[in-house]
């Protein structure tokens, strides 16, 4: 087929003529000398003018004149051909090397027979591939197909005539979609992948460390321009399940302090129990090996397939490793009851200190103070801010928190007394008299300036206050109530020997540290201190800064400063941590408590039969600083009593290990001992459960929603099996769009035939003219 494309002007940059022959486009283009048709025309006109000035001889016959005229016209045409410089361009399209990834789910849930005609999901996959064998084979001629089966891992599959060689049955015990997609991205890194096809039921059922969420991997595929096409199999509510109650996972902290609140949660999935009430029970090991039902609740199921969050709260009364279980009794018509229970282990620690920190102003001090206490694993801080402008964020149970037994220690920051309601301050005074500790920090609305002179805390605090010290919020700062900085904190002789003020075991070093610590920005000015109060630190003018006293069974400290955070900015972070930890311990009457320097962290407290346990161990000082020069002895005791030595490897400041011999279900115990310079530094133990549970078949329903979400996130789409040919056609179209045009230029004017014709024409004319006697 011929086509023409004309330039915008008569003497533009060329006239092109295109011819398409069997996928090859031919284009003829003229490139006149000096890129000017005017110059070409001028040269031709010059030749014609010369011809006119030197005409052919009139002595020649008509026939000879016509021969010479034809030779001259032919010569001019050849000259014109050379001046126009015609070029032939061959335009072809070259296919680019590309790949397609084919992922086939071979986990056990693919054996559920919920496809049309009672076929299993895996059989439906095989049938879909066989129906499209010819198309796949044709695609394999143009691209490289990477075929994999997947379950918890990725398994390469050979291809035979375009079809992957599949296993005879799906037997994988996990479906790790997220981890598998990450594996695929690594496997085909550097290749041009035009698409990833996943044939699966879409339900992610994986355990650590293969339980990677799939959504980030799908987003990475989009950034790589590698769309994911998901071919969905199975039904969202599998027929093999019937009616079922499923407890999905169990959420509980790894450890909790004794007599502190333990929060436990799970998700209950109810299938086929619409408009029914289900009882959920909480069991706790009140004594080792003796689980007891400690709480229960009833949840109402409204639809035929519903996922309901369930939350429990329990306060353990004894220390040790305790088993926690959430159980649903078997329901009428339930097809499977092995998934009606979830269990884990929680370590209940002794000596934990609960601190309630109440602050009124958004200031820097509270952030650094909380960070210092958070470094101590045996101190837990609850932070509450009472805003003078709005009371919307005020906890509904504030009065309960301030009552005796609520917390071990209370911190009051820059919070005005009017922000407390009813009998809250009276409850706090009662809590201190019955053994709690109390600290009031300096601030514009602290002590007398904050209105505490006429509250129950006036009797509790170790300083004197009166009602005339009151400074209303937003009033100018009263110089008689506040000291402007810098204010150096100087320990008194009594203070240097006190537990709170001991920053170093060496008295000389302790003295040096206090002399080096940066000054405070300012402090509260007190009218005086009460008899029996102990001044632990003064300012550099002799005024009291840190004062302590006993009140009833409790301990109370008044600290006039509010800018110890500056210590951290000048390299005294360790001293800052030690000061606040020791002050908290003293208030809680636990200054003699020795913290176990050795700890264990388990990746999971419950693992399926045959899976690996991953754990981490470490050692640290009371301030949370890691101790790295230690050696470890690690053993795991199986339910039968057999002891298994386990090696650990150092990773940064801690050590990591893994244990694979979990073929026996039951209760295991991890025991560690750390030594430093040949001396035992400490020991610790941790229990974990190995359960005989089928991760795949306990919840075999498919999840088409996840498949659709992943496909959309990657730029692909989710399809039914009958749409598989459309996916293959779309991939072929993507391949065609990636073809690269390649142009080959062939110049016609500078070839030897053109020169031969020109020489031949001029030579022939010269020969004839000479023969005819014209020269």
């Amino acid at each position: 087929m011929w086509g023409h494309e004309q330039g915008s002007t008569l003497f533009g940059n060329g006239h092109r003529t295109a011819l398409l022959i069997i996928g090859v486009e031919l284009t003829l283009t003229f490139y006149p000398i000096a890129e000017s048709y005017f110059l070409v025309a001028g040269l031709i006109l010059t030749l014609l003018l010369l011809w006119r000035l030197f005409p052919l001889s009139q002595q020649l016959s008509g026939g000879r004149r016509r021969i010479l005229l034809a030779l001259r016209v032919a010569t001019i045409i050849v000259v014109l051909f050379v001046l126009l410089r015609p070029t032939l361009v061959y335009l072809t399209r070259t296919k680019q090397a590309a790949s397609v990834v084919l992922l086939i789910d071979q986990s056990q849930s693919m054996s559920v027979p919920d496809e049309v005609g009672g076929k299993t999901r895996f059989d439906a996959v095989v049938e879909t591939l066989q129906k499209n064998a010819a198309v796949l084979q044709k695609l394999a001629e143009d691209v490289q197909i990477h075929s994999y089966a997947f379950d918890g891992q990725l398994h390469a599959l050979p291809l035979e005539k375009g079809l992957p060689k599949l296993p005879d049955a799906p037997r994988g015990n996990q479906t790790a979609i997220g981890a598998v997609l990450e594996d695929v991205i690594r496997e085909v890194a550097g290749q041009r992948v035009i698409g990833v096809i996943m044939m699966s039921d879409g339900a992610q059922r994986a355990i650590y460390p293969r339980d990677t969420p799939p959504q980030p991997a799908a987003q990475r595929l989009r950034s790589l321009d590698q769309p994911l096409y998901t071919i969905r199999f199975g039904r969202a509510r599998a027929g093999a399940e019937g009616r079922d109650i499923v407890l999905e996972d169990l959420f509980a902290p790894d450890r909790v302090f004794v007599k502190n609140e333990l929060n436990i949660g799970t998700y209950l999935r109810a299938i086929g129990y619409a408009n029914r009430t289900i009882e959920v029970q909480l069991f706790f090991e009140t004594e080792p090996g003796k689980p007891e039902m400690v709480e229960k609740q009833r949840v109402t199921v409204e639809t035929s397939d519903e996922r309901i969050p369930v939350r429990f709260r329990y306060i353990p009364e004894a220390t040790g490793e305790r088993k926690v279980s959430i159980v649903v009794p078997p329901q009428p018509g339930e097809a499977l009851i092995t998934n009606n229970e979830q269990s884990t282990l929680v370590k209940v620690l002794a000596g934990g200190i609960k601190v309630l920190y109440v602050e009124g102003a958004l200031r820097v001090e509270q952030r650094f103070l909380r960070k210092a206490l958070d470094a101590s694993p045996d101190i837990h801080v609850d932070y509450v801010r009472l805003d003078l402008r709005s009371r919307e964020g005020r906890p509904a149970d504030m009065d309960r928190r301030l009552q005796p037994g609520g917390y071990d220690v209370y911190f009051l920051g820059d919070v005005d007394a009017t922000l407390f309601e009813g009998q809250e301050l009276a409850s706090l005074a009662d809590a201190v008299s019955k053994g709690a500790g109390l600290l009031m920090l300096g601030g514009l609305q602290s002590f007398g300036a904050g209105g505490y002179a006429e509250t129950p805390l006036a009797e509790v605090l170790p300083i004197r206050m009166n009602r005339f010290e009151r400074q209303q919020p937003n009033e100018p700062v009263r110089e008689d109530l506040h000291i402007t900085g810098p204010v150096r904190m100087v320990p008194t002789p009594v203070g240097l020997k006190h537990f709170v003020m001991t920053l170093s075991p060496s008295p000389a070093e302790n003295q040096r540290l206090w002399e080096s610590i940066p000054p405070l920005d300012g402090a509260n000015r007190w009218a005086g201190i009460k008899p029996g109060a102990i001044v632990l630190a003064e300012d550099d003018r002799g005024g009291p800064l840190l004062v302590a006293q006993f009140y009833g069974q409790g301990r109370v400290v008044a600290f006039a400063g509010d800018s110890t955070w500056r210590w951290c900015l000048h390299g005294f972070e360790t001293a800052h941590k030690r000061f606040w930890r020791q002050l908290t311990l003293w208030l809680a009457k636990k200054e003699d408590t020795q913290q176990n320097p050795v700890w264990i962290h388990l990746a999971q407290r419950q693992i399926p039969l045959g899976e690996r346990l991953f754990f981490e161990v470490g050692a640290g000082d009371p301030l949370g600083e890691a101790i790295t020069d230690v050696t470890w002895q690690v053993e795991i005791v199986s339910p039968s009593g057999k002891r298994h030595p386990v090696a650990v490897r150092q990773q940064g400041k801690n050590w990591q290990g893994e244990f694979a011999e979990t073929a026996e279900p039951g209760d295991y115990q991890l025991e560690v001992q750390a030594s430093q310079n040949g001396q035992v530094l400490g020991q610790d133990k941790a229990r974990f459960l190995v359960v005989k549970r089928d991760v795949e078949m306990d919840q075999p329903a498919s999840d088409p929603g996840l498949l659709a979400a992943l496909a959309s996130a990657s730029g692909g789409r989710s399809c039914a099996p009958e749409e598989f040919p459309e996916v293959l056609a779309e991939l072929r179209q993507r391949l065609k769009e990636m073809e690269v045009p390649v142009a080959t230029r062939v110049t016609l004017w500078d070839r030897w035939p053109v020169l031969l014709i020109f020489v031949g024409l001029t030579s022939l004319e010269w020969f004839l003219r000479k023969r005819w006697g014209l020269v």
Side-chain angles (χ1 to χ4, degrees):
M1 180 180 68
W2 287 95
H4 303 276
E5 183 176 335
Q6 183 65 47
S8 59
T9 61
L10 180 62
F11 297 102
N13 284 334
H15 178 96
R16 293 184 292 176
T17 303
L19 175 64
L20 184 64
I21 304 177
I22 316 178
V24 179
E25 183 180 341
L26 304 181
T27 304
L28 180 63
T29 305
F30 296 95
Y31 297 94
I33 186 171
E35 298 184 357
S36 172
Y37 284 101
F38 290 106
L39 179 60
V40 172
L43 292 173
I44 296 301
L45 288 175
T46 301
L47 290 176
L48 293 175
L49 181 62
L50 291 173
W51 191 4
R52 181 67 178 172
L53 293 175
F54 302 98
L56 295 174
S57 174
Q58 298 296 325
Q59 300 175 1
L60 295 174
S61 63
R64 290 183 176 181
R65 287 171 60 85
R66 284 192 292 272
I67 291 173
L68 292 177
L69 180 62
L71 289 174
R72 285 193 176 183
V73 170
T75 302
I76 291 174
I77 291 174
V78 172
V79 172
L80 178 62
F81 183 81
V82 172
L83 293 176
L84 290 175
R85 299 194 298 182
T87 302
L88 191 63
V89 179
Y90 297 84
L91 189 62
T92 59
R93 293 187 174 274
T94 303
K95 294 180 179 179
Q96 298 295 298
S99 302
V100 170
V101 178
L102 180 61
L103 299 173
I104 300 170
D105 192 341
Q106 65 167 15
S107 62
Q108 291 180 27
S109 64
M110 294 296 288
S111 64
V112 175
D114 61 352
E115 290 290 337
V116 177
K119 295 187 183 72
T120 68
R121 300 170 185 174
F122 194 73
D123 289 340
V125 170
V126 174
E127 183 178 327
T128 301
L129 291 172
Q130 290 176 345
K131 284 182 179 179
N132 296 276
V135 183
L136 279 169
Q137 188 171 0
K138 182 67 176 175
L139 182 65
E141 295 174 0
D142 298 325
V143 301
Q144 182 179 4
I145 298 180
H146 300 279
S147 182
Y148 301 95
F150 73 93
D151 38 45
Q153 304 290 334
L154 197 63
H155 310 278
L157 296 175
L159 289 176
E160 293 181 358
K161 298 182 179 179
L163 289 178
K165 189 175 181 180
L166 296 171
D168 56 350
R171 297 188 177 88
N173 59 1
Q174 294 186 61
T175 308
I177 294 176
V180 163
L181 289 178
E182 294 285 357
D183 292 343
V184 166
I185 292 172
R186 286 191 293 268
E187 287 285 332
V188 299
Q191 300 184 35
R192 187 180 289 106
V193 178
I194 61 175
V196 179
I197 303 173
M198 175 178 285
M199 310 180 82
S200 172
D201 58 19
Q204 163 113 340
R205 306 178 188 90
I207 60 176
Y208 183 87
R210 300 290 290 175
D211 56 346
T212 306
Q215 290 81 1
Q219 294 169 356
R220 283 191 62 196
L221 288 174
R222 186 185 194 96
S223 67
L224 296 170
D225 193 23
Q226 298 174 5
L228 174 66
Y229 298 88
T230 56
I231 313 300
R232 54 185 182 269
F233 293 87
R235 289 187 291 173
R237 190 176 73 189
E241 288 183 64
R243 306 173 75 183
D244 195 14
I245 296 294
V246 181
L247 291 179
E248 301 178 351
D249 299 323
L250 188 149
F251 311 102
D254 179 63
R255 56 189 61 201
V256 66
F257 293 113
V258 67
K259 297 184 180 181
N260 283 7
E261 190 174 83
L262 172 64
N263 293 296
I264 311 112
T266 187
Y267 282 96
L268 182 149
R269 185 179 180 191
I271 303 170
Y273 288 96
N275 302 315
R276 300 284 292 272
T277 300
I278 307 295
E279 182 178 287
V280 186
Q281 303 169 346
L282 174 66
F283 285 81
F284 191 86
E285 267 187 354
T286 54
E287 296 182 24
K290 295 182 179 180
E292 178 183 338
M293 188 176 71
V294 294
E295 192 175 341
K296 63 182 179 180
Q297 58 180 276
R298 302 181 71 84
V299 298
T300 301
V301 183
E302 297 179 352
T303 64
S304 59
D305 189 349
E306 189 171 356
R307 191 169 182 258
I308 305 170
V310 180
R311 299 289 184 267
F312 286 103
R313 291 180 177 179
Y314 179 71
I315 298 178
E317 299 292 337
T319 61
E321 293 271 356
R322 305 294 179 176
K323 184 177 180 180
V324 182
S325 302
I326 296 181
V327 179
V328 174
Q331 301 298 306
E334 191 172 4
L336 188 67
I337 63 172
T338 57
N339 50 17
N340 286 35
E341 179 178 343
Q342 284 283 1
S343 300
T344 190
L345 290 160
V346 175
K347 190 170 187 178
V348 183
L349 302 173
I353 300 174
K354 287 183 65 177
V355 178
L356 178 63
Y357 184 179
V358 183
E359 184 62 85
L362 287 174
R363 53 184 187 168
V364 180
E365 180 75 347
Q366 59 86 16
R367 182 161 58 89
F368 280 82
L369 194 161
R370 290 161 61 193
K371 181 180 178 182
L373 294 182
D374 285 343
S376 298
D378 55 348
I379 298 177
H380 175 78
V381 180
D382 285 339
Y383 176 74
V384 173
R385 180 170 178 256
L386 301 181
D387 193 345
L388 193 63
R389 296 169 297 179
S390 172
R391 306 205 173 192
E392 292 183 359
R394 179 186 178 85
D397 62 343
M398 191 66 184
D399 183 63
R400 180 187 64 82
R401 297 189 184 201
L402 296 174
Q403 290 178 0
Y407 288 85
D408 301 300
V409 177
Y410 295 88
F411 285 6
L412 297 185
D414 188 10
V415 53
D416 196 87
T418 58
L419 292 175
F420 293 96
E421 299 176 350
Q423 298 298 309
E424 289 177 348
L425 290 180
S427 297
L428 177 56
D430 188 31
V432 175
S433 70
K434 293 180 179 178
L438 173 65
L439 166 71
M440 182 172 285
L441 291 91
L444 295 178
Q445 305 305 133
S446 298
F447 305 107
Y452 287 94
E454 297 182 296
T455 71
L457 293 189
E459 183 181 350
V460 178
L461 291 168
I463 63 167
R464 297 186 182 277
M465 300 178 290
N466 62 72
R467 60 187 180 89
F468 300 107
E469 294 178 337
R470 182 67 166 124
Q471 177 175 297
Q472 295 294 335
N474 302 320
E475 284 185 353
V477 177
R478 289 175 53 178
E479 294 185 2
D480 61 324
L481 299 179
H482 302 279
I483 306 171
T484 57
V487 178
R488 182 163 296 281
M489 190 170 175
V490 181
T492 63
V494 174
L496 279 173
K497 300 176 182 179
H498 198 278
F499 174 77
V500 171
M501 304 293 289
T502 304
L503 301 182
S504 172
S506 167
E509 178 65 14
N510 189 42
Q511 179 76 43
R512 188 196 66 79
L513 283 171
W514 280 112
E515 291 174 354
S516 305
I517 282 177
L520 305 173
D521 289 342
N524 286 73
R525 193 191 304 273
W526 297 323
I529 62 172
K530 294 179 180 179
I534 303 171
V535 179
L536 301 179
E538 300 174 334
D539 60 30
D540 40 11
R541 300 175 185 176
L545 279 183
L546 186 68
V547 182
Q549 79 170 12
F550 295 93
Y551 179 78
Q553 300 178 28
R555 296 176 175 181
V556 185
V557 170
F559 179 39
D562 66 347
S563 52
T564 62
W565 57 273
R566 290 200 172 275
W567 302 357
C568 300
L569 302 186
H570 291 80
F572 292 90
E573 185 175 1
T574 300
H576 183 264
K577 286 182 181 180
R578 185 178 293 275
F579 171 75
W580 284 111
R581 172 178 168 80
Q582 292 178 174
L583 177 55
T584 304
L585 289 175
W586 186 82
L587 287 169
K589 296 181 287 188
K590 294 185 178 180
E591 62 267 35
D592 295 327
T593 300
Q594 295 296 321
Q595 179 185 332
N596 185 6
V598 177
W599 54 264
I600 300 172
H601 174 68
L602 301 177
Q604 289 179 298
R605 286 284 188 165
Q606 179 191 120
I607 60 174
L609 194 70
E611 295 297 331
R612 292 176 179 267
L613 171 79
F614 295 87
F615 63 90
E616 190 172 45
V617 297
D621 63 19
L623 298 178
E625 300 296 331
I627 303 174
T628 57
D629 56 335
V630 299
T631 57
W632 293 92
Q633 180 181 336
V634 181
E635 289 185 327
I636 290 182
V637 184
S638 65
S640 62
K642 183 179 179 181
R643 305 185 75 88
H644 304 266
V646 181
V648 293
R649 60 189 179 279
Q650 188 167 6
Q651 295 289 334
K653 296 182 179 180
N654 303 323
W655 284 258
Q656 295 177 352
E658 59 182 86
F659 179 65
E661 300 178 52
T662 58
E664 181 182 359
D667 194 335
Y668 289 70
Q669 182 162 278
L670 171 61
E671 300 177 353
V672 302
Q673 176 178 291
S675 301
Q676 185 181 41
N677 300 324
Q679 299 294 320
V680 175
L681 189 64
Q683 300 173 334
D684 201 6
K685 298 178 181 180
R687 290 165 60 195
F688 63 94
L689 301 174
V690 174
V691 294
K692 189 175 182 179
R693 185 175 181 184
D694 194 334
V695 176
E696 279 288 309
M697 300 308 291
D698 278 357
Q699 303 176 46
S702 67
D703 192 350
L706 178 61
L707 290 177
L710 296 180
S712 176
S714 70
R717 61 191 180 101
S718 182
C719 308
E722 53 268 22
E723 297 176 281
F724 186 51
E726 298 177 15
V727 172
L728 298 179
E730 189 171 325
L731 291 176
R732 292 186 65 84
Q733 180 61 32
R734 278 180 58 85
L735 181 64
K736 186 176 181 180
E737 292 171 356
M738 292 171 58
E739 292 179 352
V740 177
V742 178
T744 304
R745 298 177 180 272
V746 179
T747 54
L748 302 178
W749 57 274
D750 58 352
R751 303 285 170 164
W752 65 266
V754 176
L755 178 61
L756 184 62
I757 292 172
F758 179 78
V759 172
L761 289 173
T762 54
S763 299
L764 180 59
E765 181 183 358
W766 178 260
F767 172 76
L768 292 177
R769 288 170 63 86
K770 186 174 183 179
R771 184 172 181 178
W772 293 337
L774 298 177
V775 292

